[in-house]
Amino acid sequence: RAQESYYMLIQRFAKLFFGCLAAVTSGMMYAVYLSTYHERKFWFSSRQELEREITFQGDSAIYYSFYKELLKAPSFERGVYELTHNNKTVSLKTINAVQQMTLYPELIASVLYQASGSEEVIEPVYFYIGIVFGLQGIYVTALFVTSWVMSGTWLAGMLTVAWFIINRTDTTRIDYSIPSRENWALPYFACQVAALTGYLKKTLNCSAEKFCYLLVSASTYTFMMMWEYSHYLLFVQAVSLFLLDSFALAQTEKVHEVYKIYLFSLFLGYLLQFENSALLVSPLLSLIAALMLSKCLQMNMKKGTFMSRLLKIMYIYLVLTITVTLNFLLKMFVPHKENEHLLKFIEVKLGLNTTKNFTMNWLLCQESLQAPSQDFFLRLTQSSLLPFYILVLIICLFSVTQVIFRRICGEPLKETVKLEDGRIGERPEIVYHVIHTILLGCLAMCLEGMKYLWTPYVCMLAAFGVCSPELWMTLFKWLRLKAVTVHNPFLLTFPTIIGFSLWKEFFPRIMSELSELQEFYDPDTVELMTWIKRQAPVAAVFAGSPQLMGVIKLCTGWMVSSLPLYNDDDLLKRNENIYQIYSKRSAEDIYKILTSYKANFLVIEDSICNEVGPVRGCRVKDLLDIANGHVVCEEGDSYADSKYGRFCHEIKMNYSPYVNYFTRVYWNRSYFVYKINTVISFQS
């Protein structure tokens, strides 16, 4: 027996060692893959600094520009002060950039860059994107570990990584926006989910439970500091845990410990994020407070009676009611700057209201805020991910439903669930993931941008199910196949066949992506930035589309009149006003708008002025015409209702009154730059 236990110990150690090695290797290989793909796509190493910076578009350009400013500051303390009292980015506006734009990733990256002595070894841009790619490697490793913990085999982790990489266009936004907040934050959330999965397991020793608890605590707080919308995602997770606890499918003590972690993270985040009132009015805090208030009622219930089970249903209703009421009261009494346009957007999205507001309609036209296309489901089906996910989800959901029904009937949960029992729905970590993936899936079905939160966990859940002997045993028991048992050969064979078929079909495509050189070259933008740096006065303020202003701020350092940020009402209003350069407004109106923001130069983009959009009514000029009442739509016909031509067209004609207000100083194929006259010269 001693020899047998020794061999079992060696076998467990070998399994753990090779599993950890596979998890870490998968993460490292994915990070290297992203780095190689990025180099091939942009020819990054062979570009000049200006050409490299142009690859950061929109809000990404703003985030990286502040990282640059931190490195240029005489000291870290001075750099942080200048960011928290920033009056050199947006004209006539002093902003706390750290709070408003959640710049904690840039603060950490700049500290690491200077403290590690990397100045003499690596350029700042490589250090920055290297951290982001490294975090993506941690993201993949965390998903690997989650599926491994759930299934008991690291083969599930390998299959998770394979599906994640194959469906990369739907699992991550790293290709489009490297510095975006979600690319910094979601790896920490994946670590939190992995630790929470282990923490919820019934068969967990004391040391492992403490480790998981500490990891959940650290990753929850870090996630909250990295992304301004993190508390909404944690709210979805909290709802999953609440439902898990309400049906008595998990240890109540563990669930309430996680609630305490949320509360502590919100409190600490509120203090360290400059008393961020958005955290006080967040639905997460309201839900936790409601649960604390309702806990007394639940404790006083008589357990085991039919009335107590009926009261549990009322308890769910009570918690939800208190949550909504508390959130409403908090928003009434706590001063906050939560975006009102978010609620209006939801109303319009659900068809409860209509609007002619430019900003609202512009948001509704964004691809990420529309329902997912058929191509999305087609891609997931072609990689075999969606069919396996649906199969696994149905089996788990039916098993969970059976367990809930048994609980309602008064049958207690088994302390230890054996493989032969075929009751996968009694494992709390499985039930949590089923509820969580359904909630995230509902959000993804409404907004395509939410697929980047949902699809990674689709990969993980599908891989877990395929490799889980308990899931197959549950299915076989339903089919009354009593003679069938799930052994290691079956567990190894089925995932191996799937993995081999995926490798045969998709591996050549992935390698061709890495071998194919893609040319990213934007000479017009390079010429524009070069002209600004050489010819424009240092104190000049530029006006134009918010996306271009972000690039100008990064590449030149000049002050701008607007930014591509959508969490501030004043900036949203600025964006709408400056977009009027593409509307049918008079030269005098545009001049008054631009001078009100102290703008000295105006940049007209041909791509917006002559835009030919695929969706009718979603072009910037169409949205402006609707907002300004310059287009009346009746039965599909449009009627112009403005005595002025489109400003961006008319200004190029160089005739009065446009030349009285604006003087063209530079142009190329894509951009026209006009100096805004300080003294109006009236010409005939």
Side-chain angles (χ1 to χ4, degrees), residues 371-656:
S373 62
Q374 292 182 352
D375 291 342
F376 167 60
F377 300 104
L378 184 62
R379 287 192 298 270
L380 296 188
T381 304
Q382 287 175 339
S383 64
S384 73
L385 174 60
L386 193 59
F388 282 114
Y389 167 74
I390 293 173
L391 174 65
V392 171
L393 186 63
I394 289 173
I395 296 172
C396 291
L397 201 56
F398 270 104
S399 183
V400 170
T401 306
Q402 283 183 334
V403 173
I404 293 172
F405 181 75
R406 292 193 193 105
R407 294 291 293 155
I408 293 173
C409 294
E411 183 181 330
L413 290 174
K414 288 189 174 183
E415 288 296 324
T416 56
V417 181
K418 297 180 181 179
L419 176 63
E420 293 77 16
D421 295 332
R423 291 188 177 185
I424 197 166
E426 291 195 7
R427 289 176 56 187
E429 71 274 20
I430 305 298
V431 183
Y432 157 69
H433 278 287
V434 168
I435 299 172
H436 197 197
T437 191
I438 289 173
L439 293 178
L440 288 178
C442 291
L443 293 173
M445 294 308 103
C446 299
L447 305 172
E448 186 167 358
M450 296 298 294
K451 70 181 181 182
Y452 300 107
L453 302 177
W454 178 60
T455 316
Y457 296 97
V458 170
C459 299
M460 183 273 300
L461 197 69
F464 139 75
V466 167
C467 300
S468 172
E470 286 182 77
L471 183 130
W472 292 112
M473 183 58 72
T474 303
L475 178 62
F476 292 154
K477 284 204 73 173
W478 289 345
L479 298 175
R480 301 186 184 279
L481 300 175
K482 296 181 180 180
V484 178
T485 56
V486 183
H487 296 295
N488 281 334
F490 176 85
L491 188 65
L492 288 169
T493 304
F494 195 49
T496 304
I497 292 171
I498 296 172
F500 181 76
S501 62
L502 291 176
W503 177 81
K504 186 177 180 181
E505 183 175 354
F506 292 98
F507 184 74
R509 299 185 192 180
I510 293 172
M511 295 309 295
S512 66
E513 280 184 351
L514 297 181
S515 60
E516 181 183 351
L517 285 172
Q518 302 180 42
E519 185 174 4
F520 177 85
Y521 189 51
D522 190 357
D524 293 344
T525 305
V526 171
E527 290 172 9
L528 173 64
M529 301 304 157
T530 304
W531 180 87
I532 292 173
K533 293 173 75 172
R534 291 177 179 174
Q535 302 295 328
V538 176
V541 177
F542 281 81
S545 72
Q547 288 72 25
L548 181 62
M549 293 303 100
V551 179
I552 287 177
K553 174 59 185 172
L554 168 60
C555 296
T556 68
W558 264 244
M559 193 178 290
V560 294
S561 56
S562 61
L563 287 176
L565 298 170
Y566 311 105
N567 59 356
D568 183 270
D569 291 335
D570 179 59
L571 285 175
L572 284 172
K573 189 63 181 174
R574 280 178 178 242
N575 293 346
E576 181 177 351
N577 288 338
I578 293 171
Y579 262 131
Q580 297 297 324
I581 60 179
Y582 300 104
S583 69
K584 296 176 181 178
R585 298 276 291 270
S586 68
E588 184 180 3
D589 286 349
I590 303 299
Y591 181 81
K592 287 179 179 178
I593 290 171
L594 296 175
T595 52
S596 70
Y597 296 122
K598 301 296 182 184
N600 306 113
F601 291 90
L602 167 65
V603 185
I604 301 286
E605 296 173 69
D606 250 8
S607 59
I608 300 178
C609 191
N610 301 317
E611 183 180 3
V612 182
V615 181
R616 185 180 180 184
C618 272
R619 298 177 300 180
V620 168
K621 51 188 179 183
D622 294 338
L623 298 174
L624 288 167
D625 290 345
I626 292 170
N628 296 334
H630 295 159
V631 170
V632 180
C633 297
E634 293 180 3
E635 297 180 0
D637 296 324
S638 299
Y639 303 93
D641 186 27
S642 176
K643 62 180 180 180
Y644 302 105
R646 196 166 302 282
F647 177 83
C648 62
H649 287 151
E650 299 296 318
I651 194 174
K652 296 175 187 176
M653 303 299 181
N654 283 332
Y655 60 74
S656 182

Side-chain angles (χ1 to χ4, degrees), residues 297 301 309-320:
L297 175 63
M301 290 178 187
R309 293 191 288 274
L310 188 63
L311 283 174
K312 283 187 177 180
I313 300 174
M314 294 300 295
Y315 169 73
I316 296 174
Y317 174 76
L318 178 66
V319 169
L320 295 177

Side-chain angles (χ1 to χ4, degrees), residues 1-13:
R1 286 184 178 181
Q3 190 174 10
E4 185 179 341
S5 61
Y6 174 75
Y7 282 125
M8 286 182 66
L9 186 66
I10 293 293
Q11 188 178 4
R12 286 181 182 177
F13 177 78

Side-chain angles (χ1 to χ4, degrees), residues 253-290:
E253 298 78 13
K254 286 187 176 182
V255 174
H256 283 280
E257 285 298 319
V258 179
Y259 292 155
K260 291 176 185 177
I261 292 173
Y262 291 148
L263 200 60
F264 176 75
S265 298
L266 283 168
F267 174 72
L268 202 59
Y270 172 75
L271 294 179
L272 295 182
Q273 290 183 9
F274 306 92
E275 298 183 357
N276 184 6
S277 57
L279 296 179
L280 294 182
V281 298
S282 69
L284 177 62
L285 181 60
S286 301
L287 177 62
I288 295 169

